[in-house]
Amino acid sequence: MSQRSHAWVLHVDLDQFIAAVEVLRHPELAGRPVIVGGRGDPTERAVVSTASYEAREFGVGSGMPLRIAARKVPDAVILPVDHVAYNEASDAVMATLRAQPGAVVQVLGWDEAFVGVQTDDPEEYARALQRAVLERTRLHCSVGIGDTLVRAKVATGFGKPQGVFRLTAENWLEVMGDRPTIDLWGVGSKISRRLAAIGISTVAELAAASPDDDGLVAEFGPRMGPWYAQLGRGDGARVVDDTPWVARGHSRETTYQQNLTEPAQIEAAVRTLADQVLADVAAEGRPVVGLALKVRYAPFITKTFTKKVTETFDRDEVLARVMELVGRIEPDRPVRLLGLRAEMRMPEESREGHTPTRSGW
């Protein structure tokens, strides 16, 4: 395959994004362990949103309870989450990416995006992109280069921090073959265990499976089985799509500093979440088609209850269905977290049913 005039996929991932934004706002924190989470108070119930590399060296990671992170790094600086600041920084980064010559940008989140580009030298393009982001935002990023979205995404991990790495069909198995399947984008701990149970532990073993492998199809079904085989080879979409992302749903959740123990407390808390979620949904102008209620019982057992809803704009109808879900909460069990999500009908022109890893959009 000629490298000239090739449509490359670049995956841009900002290094320790939230922590880096905070260090820019507080230069005196440079080089110190910084943890961002909740309201910045480790005595409250909250989790780590991000940690600087200095804090990660002590085993602190995203999603860890803030109180445990504080124990691991007693001298860490713990800061509250500031969504406004992170949105502003992210917007500046994405605008910089879109300003690059010939770039097609598909935003994945606050701190990452795919960039599609036609270039003879993807490494040089990636380094120029890094310089542009640093000059405009003072933030560093890593760039993965690939001939598919999957390979570009996985490549970024080898480039961190502040580096560039290329993964293509030519070196995929050389780099990834001996690695466990959990190292693949789209494979978590549960899926990796299920793969191991049918004799597939490494990326190479998954790559060797045929799309209609009986074990994969039996375990994951006729759609997901072949997809996992494809993922093992790093195959999939090769074109970056900048079609605006459309939310499938809106959700809100709250961790309560004191457990909710009374049914009236729980119902009132869910109604508050419903008010917030339905306000978000109303702004979209699309009907609700499904609901999910997340409940975390004390000390830390999480359950999710779901319900399909006949397509409706009727707020009272949705609230009635939400209350049916509330009825599934186990009585006499203290509740420490509640979350509510409302799914909406997707527009006809949306990329419904796909994710960046599942054969593109």
Side-chain angles (χ1 to χ4, degrees):
M1 180 182 65
S2 171
Q3 294 180 4
R4 300 187 64 80
S5 301
H6 189 76
W8 293 97
V9 179
L10 276 57
H11 176 253
V12 180
D13 196 354
L14 291 159
D15 298 326
Q16 56 173 3
F17 170 61
I18 294 175
V21 171
E22 293 294 353
V23 170
L24 287 179
R25 298 181 353 158
H26 308 283
E28 70 277 7
L29 300 182
R32 297 184 61 185
V34 175
I35 299 170
V36 181
R39 296 190 291 185
D41 185 350
T43 67
E44 294 184 349
R45 289 175 172 173
V47 297
V48 174
S49 293
T50 196
S52 67
Y53 290 129
E54 293 81 4
R56 295 179 195 181
E57 291 178 359
F58 291 88
V60 175
S62 299
M64 176 181 291
L66 205 56
R67 67 180 186 282
I68 294 177
R71 289 181 202 149
K72 285 180 175 289
V73 198
D75 61 343
V77 177
I78 303 177
L79 300 172
V81 174
D82 187 340
H83 291 90
V84 173
Y86 313 144
N87 275 323
E88 290 176 352
S90 178
D91 289 347
V93 170
M94 300 308 164
T96 304
L97 298 183
R98 294 187 181 97
Q100 301 312 297
V104 177
V105 179
Q106 180 178 326
V107 177
L108 296 183
W110 261 347
D111 59 349
E112 61 177 327
F114 286 117
V115 177
V117 63
Q118 193 92 14
T119 179
D120 297 342
D121 188 345
E123 278 81 8
E124 177 52 37
Y125 191 100
R127 287 188 284 269
L129 185 153
Q130 288 175 315
R131 290 192 295 270
V133 170
L134 182 62
E135 180 179 346
R136 175 166 177 179
T137 69
R138 295 185 294 157
L139 294 169
H140 291 280
C141 61
S142 300
V143 181
I145 299 170
D147 49 0
T148 66
L149 275 67
V150 169
R151 293 188 186 120
K153 169 75 173 180
V154 174
T156 314
F158 295 98
K160 282 190 167 292
Q162 302 178 30
V164 174
F165 193 87
R166 185 196 295 198
L167 263 181
T168 65
E170 284 75 15
N171 69 338
W172 173 257
L173 286 179
E174 176 187 346
V175 174
M176 293 294 297
D178 293 334
R179 292 179 172 270
T181 57
I182 198 171
D183 285 359
L184 291 168
W185 183 34
V187 175
S189 58
K190 291 182 180 179
I191 296 299
S192 66
R193 287 196 296 269
R194 290 173 65 184
L195 287 168
I198 59 173
I200 298 175
S201 298
T202 68
V203 173
E205 290 169 345
L206 184 57
S210 65
D212 56 354
D213 180 276
D214 290 341
L216 285 173
V217 172
E219 180 66 25
F220 298 104
R223 183 173 67 90
M224 294 305 297
W227 178 72
Y228 283 120
Q230 173 182 287
L231 188 61
R233 296 187 293 274
D235 289 338
R238 297 172 180 269
V239 178
V240 176
D241 186 351
D242 61 355
T243 303
W245 177 78
V246 178
R248 182 175 296 276
H250 286 289
S251 60
R252 296 293 186 101
E253 70 176 45
T254 300
T255 298
Y256 303 99
Q257 298 307 313
Q258 300 294 327
N259 292 337
L260 306 182
T261 57
E262 300 296 329
Q265 288 180 305
I266 295 170
E267 181 175 329
V270 172
R271 287 187 179 278
T272 297
L273 291 173
D275 286 341
Q276 297 168 344
V277 169
L278 292 178
D280 294 336
V281 168
E284 296 273 357
R286 288 183 280 144
V288 173
V289 296
L291 295 166
L293 179 66
K294 177 180 175 182
V295 182
R296 180 164 295 150
Y297 301 109
F300 211 83
I301 299 170
T302 304
K303 301 287 185 180
T304 302
F305 308 113
T306 62
K307 175 180 282 293
K308 291 185 181 295
V309 176
T310 301
E311 189 173 297
T312 182
F313 288 95
D314 190 320
R315 177 187 179 88
D316 291 338
E317 175 69 16
V318 174
L319 282 173
R321 303 291 79 78
V322 169
M323 289 302 113
E324 289 177 5
L325 290 177
V326 172
R328 298 173 65 182
I329 296 175
E330 297 180 44
D332 304 322
R333 292 195 66 177
V335 171
R336 61 176 289 156
L337 176 147
L338 288 168
L340 181 65
R341 177 175 175 83
E343 301 280 342
M344 299 173 290
R345 185 186 67 197
M346 296 296 285
E348 290 298 324
E349 68 275 13
S350 69
R351 300 171 290 196
E352 185 173 4
H354 297 282
T355 69
T357 55
R358 294 183 188 169
S359 299
W361 296 93

